[in-house]
Short mmCIF file of all heavy atoms in Angstrom, two decimals:
data_model
loop_
_atom_site.label_atom_id
_atom_site.label_comp_id
_atom_site.label_asym_id
_atom_site.label_seq_id
_atom_site.Cartn_x
_atom_site.Cartn_y
_atom_site.Cartn_z
N LEU N 46 -10.26 17.71 8.51
CA LEU N 46 -8.89 17.96 8.08
C LEU N 46 -7.93 16.99 8.75
O LEU N 46 -6.99 16.49 8.13
CB LEU N 46 -8.51 19.41 8.41
CG LEU N 46 -9.15 20.49 7.52
CD1 LEU N 46 -8.82 21.87 8.07
CD2 LEU N 46 -8.69 20.36 6.08
N ALA N 47 -8.16 16.72 10.05
CA ALA N 47 -7.31 15.77 10.76
C ALA N 47 -7.41 14.39 10.14
O ALA N 47 -6.41 13.67 10.02
CB ALA N 47 -7.70 15.73 12.23
N GLU N 48 -8.62 14.01 9.72
CA GLU N 48 -8.82 12.71 9.09
C GLU N 48 -8.07 12.64 7.76
O GLU N 48 -7.46 11.62 7.43
CB GLU N 48 -10.32 12.48 8.86
CG GLU N 48 -10.67 11.10 8.34
CD GLU N 48 -10.49 10.00 9.38
OE1 GLU N 48 -10.30 10.31 10.56
OE2 GLU N 48 -10.54 8.83 8.98
N GLN N 49 -8.08 13.76 7.01
CA GLN N 49 -7.39 13.77 5.72
C GLN N 49 -5.88 13.68 5.88
O GLN N 49 -5.17 13.27 4.96
CB GLN N 49 -7.76 15.05 4.96
CG GLN N 49 -9.19 15.07 4.45
CD GLN N 49 -9.54 16.36 3.75
OE1 GLN N 49 -8.67 17.05 3.25
NE2 GLN N 49 -10.82 16.69 3.72
N ASP N 50 -5.36 14.08 7.04
CA ASP N 50 -3.93 14.00 7.28
C ASP N 50 -3.47 12.56 7.55
O ASP N 50 -2.28 12.26 7.46
CB ASP N 50 -3.53 14.87 8.47
CG ASP N 50 -3.59 16.36 8.14
OD1 ASP N 50 -3.53 16.70 6.94
OD2 ASP N 50 -3.72 17.17 9.07
N LYS N 51 -4.41 11.69 7.90
CA LYS N 51 -4.04 10.30 8.16
C LYS N 51 -3.71 9.60 6.84
O LYS N 51 -4.36 9.83 5.83
CB LYS N 51 -5.20 9.57 8.85
CG LYS N 51 -5.51 10.06 10.25
CD LYS N 51 -6.65 9.25 10.84
CE LYS N 51 -6.98 9.70 12.25
NZ LYS N 51 -8.10 8.91 12.84
N PRO N 52 -2.70 8.74 6.85
CA PRO N 52 -2.34 8.08 5.60
C PRO N 52 -3.35 7.03 5.17
O PRO N 52 -4.16 6.56 5.97
CB PRO N 52 -0.98 7.44 5.93
CG PRO N 52 -1.03 7.23 7.41
CD PRO N 52 -1.83 8.38 7.97
N ILE N 53 -3.26 6.68 3.91
CA ILE N 53 -4.01 5.56 3.35
C ILE N 53 -2.99 4.49 2.96
O ILE N 53 -1.97 4.79 2.33
CB ILE N 53 -4.81 5.99 2.11
CG1 ILE N 53 -5.93 6.96 2.51
CG2 ILE N 53 -5.40 4.78 1.38
CD1 ILE N 53 -6.65 7.57 1.33
N VAL N 54 -3.25 3.26 3.36
CA VAL N 54 -2.39 2.15 2.97
C VAL N 54 -3.04 1.43 1.78
O VAL N 54 -4.24 1.13 1.81
CB VAL N 54 -2.18 1.17 4.14
CG1 VAL N 54 -1.49 -0.11 3.67
CG2 VAL N 54 -1.35 1.84 5.25
N VAL N 55 -2.25 1.21 0.75
CA VAL N 55 -2.75 0.54 -0.46
C VAL N 55 -1.93 -0.73 -0.68
O VAL N 55 -0.73 -0.67 -0.95
CB VAL N 55 -2.63 1.45 -1.70
CG1 VAL N 55 -3.10 0.71 -2.95
CG2 VAL N 55 -3.43 2.72 -1.50
N LYS N 56 -2.59 -1.86 -0.54
CA LYS N 56 -1.92 -3.14 -0.77
C LYS N 56 -2.14 -3.55 -2.23
O LYS N 56 -3.27 -3.73 -2.67
CB LYS N 56 -2.48 -4.21 0.18
CG LYS N 56 -1.65 -5.49 0.20
CD LYS N 56 -2.12 -6.47 -0.85
CE LYS N 56 -1.19 -7.68 -0.92
NZ LYS N 56 -1.85 -8.85 -1.53
N LEU N 57 -1.04 -3.67 -2.96
CA LEU N 57 -1.09 -4.10 -4.36
C LEU N 57 -0.83 -5.60 -4.41
O LEU N 57 0.27 -6.05 -4.08
CB LEU N 57 -0.04 -3.37 -5.19
CG LEU N 57 -0.30 -1.91 -5.57
CD1 LEU N 57 0.92 -1.34 -6.26
CD2 LEU N 57 -1.52 -1.80 -6.47
N GLY N 58 -1.82 -6.36 -4.82
CA GLY N 58 -1.65 -7.80 -4.92
C GLY N 58 -0.50 -8.15 -5.85
O GLY N 58 -0.23 -7.45 -6.83
N GLY N 59 0.18 -9.25 -5.54
CA GLY N 59 1.30 -9.66 -6.36
C GLY N 59 0.93 -9.89 -7.82
O GLY N 59 1.70 -9.57 -8.73
N SER N 60 -0.28 -10.40 -8.04
CA SER N 60 -0.73 -10.61 -9.42
C SER N 60 -1.01 -9.29 -10.13
O SER N 60 -0.88 -9.19 -11.35
CB SER N 60 -1.99 -11.49 -9.44
OG SER N 60 -2.99 -10.95 -8.60
N VAL N 61 -1.37 -8.25 -9.35
CA VAL N 61 -1.57 -6.91 -9.94
C VAL N 61 -0.23 -6.33 -10.35
O VAL N 61 -0.10 -5.71 -11.41
CB VAL N 61 -2.27 -5.98 -8.93
CG1 VAL N 61 -2.34 -4.55 -9.47
CG2 VAL N 61 -3.67 -6.48 -8.61
N VAL N 62 0.79 -6.55 -9.51
CA VAL N 62 2.12 -5.99 -9.79
C VAL N 62 2.66 -6.49 -11.12
O VAL N 62 3.35 -5.75 -11.84
CB VAL N 62 3.09 -6.32 -8.63
CG1 VAL N 62 4.52 -5.96 -9.00
CG2 VAL N 62 2.67 -5.59 -7.36
N ARG N 63 2.35 -7.73 -11.47
CA ARG N 63 2.88 -8.26 -12.74
C ARG N 63 1.83 -8.26 -13.86
O ARG N 63 2.00 -8.95 -14.86
CB ARG N 63 3.43 -9.66 -12.52
CG ARG N 63 2.46 -10.72 -12.06
CD ARG N 63 3.19 -12.06 -11.90
NE ARG N 63 2.27 -13.15 -11.59
CZ ARG N 63 2.04 -13.60 -10.36
NH1 ARG N 63 2.66 -13.02 -9.34
NH2 ARG N 63 1.21 -14.60 -10.14
N SER N 64 0.80 -7.43 -13.71
CA SER N 64 -0.26 -7.37 -14.72
C SER N 64 -0.15 -6.09 -15.55
O SER N 64 0.50 -5.13 -15.13
CB SER N 64 -1.64 -7.42 -14.04
OG SER N 64 -1.95 -6.15 -13.49
N PRO N 65 -0.80 -6.04 -16.72
CA PRO N 65 -0.81 -4.81 -17.52
C PRO N 65 -1.52 -3.65 -16.83
O PRO N 65 -1.36 -2.50 -17.25
CB PRO N 65 -1.58 -5.24 -18.79
CG PRO N 65 -1.50 -6.72 -18.82
CD PRO N 65 -1.49 -7.16 -17.40
N ASP N 66 -2.32 -3.93 -15.79
CA ASP N 66 -3.05 -2.88 -15.09
C ASP N 66 -2.20 -2.11 -14.10
O ASP N 66 -2.64 -1.09 -13.56
CB ASP N 66 -4.24 -3.49 -14.33
CG ASP N 66 -5.29 -4.07 -15.24
OD1 ASP N 66 -5.43 -3.57 -16.37
OD2 ASP N 66 -5.98 -5.02 -14.82
N LEU N 67 -0.99 -2.58 -13.82
CA LEU N 67 -0.18 -1.95 -12.78
C LEU N 67 0.02 -0.45 -13.03
O LEU N 67 -0.10 0.36 -12.10
CB LEU N 67 1.19 -2.64 -12.69
CG LEU N 67 2.18 -2.00 -11.70
CD1 LEU N 67 1.63 -2.03 -10.29
CD2 LEU N 67 3.53 -2.68 -11.78
N SER N 68 0.31 -0.08 -14.27
CA SER N 68 0.61 1.31 -14.57
C SER N 68 -0.55 2.24 -14.21
O SER N 68 -0.34 3.31 -13.63
CB SER N 68 0.95 1.47 -16.06
OG SER N 68 1.29 2.81 -16.35
N SER N 69 -1.77 1.83 -14.52
CA SER N 69 -2.93 2.69 -14.23
C SER N 69 -3.19 2.80 -12.73
O SER N 69 -3.61 3.84 -12.23
CB SER N 69 -4.18 2.20 -14.96
OG SER N 69 -4.46 0.84 -14.65
N TRP N 70 -2.92 1.72 -11.99
CA TRP N 70 -3.04 1.80 -10.52
C TRP N 70 -2.00 2.75 -9.95
O TRP N 70 -2.31 3.58 -9.07
CB TRP N 70 -2.87 0.41 -9.90
CG TRP N 70 -4.03 -0.52 -10.08
CD1 TRP N 70 -4.03 -1.69 -10.79
CD2 TRP N 70 -5.35 -0.40 -9.52
NE1 TRP N 70 -5.26 -2.29 -10.72
CE2 TRP N 70 -6.09 -1.52 -9.96
CE3 TRP N 70 -5.97 0.54 -8.72
CZ2 TRP N 70 -7.42 -1.73 -9.60
CZ3 TRP N 70 -7.30 0.36 -8.36
CH2 TRP N 70 -8.01 -0.77 -8.80
N LEU N 71 -0.78 2.67 -10.44
CA LEU N 71 0.28 3.55 -9.95
C LEU N 71 0.00 5.00 -10.33
O LEU N 71 0.30 5.93 -9.56
CB LEU N 71 1.64 3.12 -10.49
CG LEU N 71 2.14 1.76 -10.01
CD1 LEU N 71 3.53 1.47 -10.59
CD2 LEU N 71 2.18 1.67 -8.49
N ASP N 72 -0.58 5.23 -11.51
CA ASP N 72 -0.96 6.59 -11.91
C ASP N 72 -1.97 7.18 -10.93
O ASP N 72 -1.88 8.35 -10.56
CB ASP N 72 -1.55 6.59 -13.32
CG ASP N 72 -0.50 6.37 -14.41
OD1 ASP N 72 0.70 6.52 -14.11
OD2 ASP N 72 -0.89 6.03 -15.54
N ALA N 73 -2.95 6.37 -10.54
CA ALA N 73 -3.97 6.83 -9.60
C ALA N 73 -3.34 7.20 -8.26
O ALA N 73 -3.67 8.22 -7.65
CB ALA N 73 -5.03 5.75 -9.39
N ILE N 74 -2.40 6.38 -7.80
CA ILE N 74 -1.73 6.65 -6.53
C ILE N 74 -0.86 7.90 -6.63
O ILE N 74 -0.86 8.76 -5.75
CB ILE N 74 -0.88 5.43 -6.11
CG1 ILE N 74 -1.80 4.25 -5.77
CG2 ILE N 74 0.03 5.77 -4.93
CD1 ILE N 74 -1.08 2.93 -5.64
N ALA N 75 -0.13 8.02 -7.73
CA ALA N 75 0.79 9.15 -7.90
C ALA N 75 0.06 10.49 -7.98
O ALA N 75 0.60 11.52 -7.56
CB ALA N 75 1.63 8.94 -9.16
N SER N 76 -1.15 10.49 -8.51
CA SER N 76 -1.89 11.75 -8.68
C SER N 76 -2.71 12.13 -7.45
O SER N 76 -3.30 13.21 -7.42
CB SER N 76 -2.82 11.64 -9.89
OG SER N 76 -3.80 10.62 -9.69
N ALA N 77 -2.73 11.29 -6.43
CA ALA N 77 -3.57 11.55 -5.26
C ALA N 77 -2.96 12.63 -4.37
O ALA N 77 -1.74 12.76 -4.26
CB ALA N 77 -3.74 10.27 -4.46
N ARG N 78 -3.83 13.41 -3.74
CA ARG N 78 -3.38 14.40 -2.76
C ARG N 78 -3.18 13.77 -1.39
O ARG N 78 -2.46 14.31 -0.55
CB ARG N 78 -4.40 15.53 -2.64
CG ARG N 78 -4.59 16.34 -3.91
CD ARG N 78 -5.34 17.62 -3.63
NE ARG N 78 -6.65 17.38 -3.03
CZ ARG N 78 -7.78 17.29 -3.73
NH1 ARG N 78 -7.74 17.41 -5.04
NH2 ARG N 78 -8.93 17.07 -3.12
N ALA N 79 -3.79 12.63 -1.16
CA ALA N 79 -3.71 11.98 0.15
C ALA N 79 -2.33 11.37 0.37
O ALA N 79 -1.68 10.93 -0.57
CB ALA N 79 -4.77 10.89 0.24
#
Side-chain angles (χ1 to χ4, degrees):
L46 288 173
E48 186 71 11
Q49 290 178 24
D50 288 338
K51 294 181 179 180
I53 293 172
V54 170
V55 178
K56 191 271 174 159
L57 285 174
S60 54
V61 173
V62 171
R63 61 180 186 263
S64 78
D66 294 331
L67 176 62
S68 182
S69 56
W70 286 114
L71 295 182
D72 287 344
I74 293 167
S76 63
R78 296 194 302 266

